[in-house]
Structure formats: C-alpha cells, structure tokens
Amino acid sequence: MSQGDIREVQLARAALVTGIRLLLAAWGARARDIERILLTGKFGAAVEPSDAVRVGLIPELPGAVRRHGNLALKGAVMMTHD
C-alpha cells in the first residue's frame, strides 16, 4: 500500500462522510435512522462492509449494509418511471 493509496482512501472517506452528513441534515435525520446502505459498482464489489465501517467510510448499522453490482441502470430506470 502506497502513500497515494492511503490518500485515495482519505479522500473517499471525506466525500462519503460529508455526503451522508449533508443528506441526514437535509432530512432532519440521524445515522441510526438509516435503514439500508447499498455499496455498489466497482467500489461496492471490492470493499467488505465491515472494513468500510472500520475505517469510517460508512456508519455502523448492523444488518443494514448490502453489496450489489452496478445499480446505475436500475436507478436511472426507476427515475424515469416516477
């Protein structure tokens, strides 16, 4: 593992934590209110949920974290039907 790898993890963590905090604030919710977290795409396929929690990428929510393949197409289809 190189210094560059560590920096990439730091940047990813900062982005995810900021995004989660902003969404929770906008909804007036707390981390414990999250019902499920979907780790998707190349990142989701590569990271173990317990490791993501351990390094602070996502909050610890037992049973709430799921890994999936690429959900971008499914999300796009869902948005066109709403």
Side-chain angles (χ1 to χ4, degrees):
M1 182 174 266
S2 70
Q3 180 61 38
D5 293 333
I6 293 169
R7 185 67 182 143
E8 290 295 321
V9 170
Q10 290 173 324
L11 292 171
R13 182 188 183 281
L16 287 169
V17 169
T18 300
I20 290 169
R21 287 181 180 168
L22 287 171
L23 287 171
L24 290 173
W27 294 329
R30 294 185 166 172
R32 67 174 178 251
D33 298 323
I34 297 172
E35 294 178 10
R36 122 185 100 191
I37 294 175
L38 302 176
L39 299 175
T40 67
K42 199 171 192 179
F43 173 77
V47 69
E48 284 294 326
S50 60
D51 292 337
V53 169
R54 188 167 41 92
V55 298
L57 290 174
I58 57 175
E60 184 173 4
L61 300 164
V65 181
R66 305 269 193 278
R67 292 194 312 177
H68 291 276
N70 188 344
L71 292 179
L73 179 59
K74 185 174 183 175
V77 169
M78 289 171 61
M79 291 304 296
T80 61
H81 288 89
D82 282 345

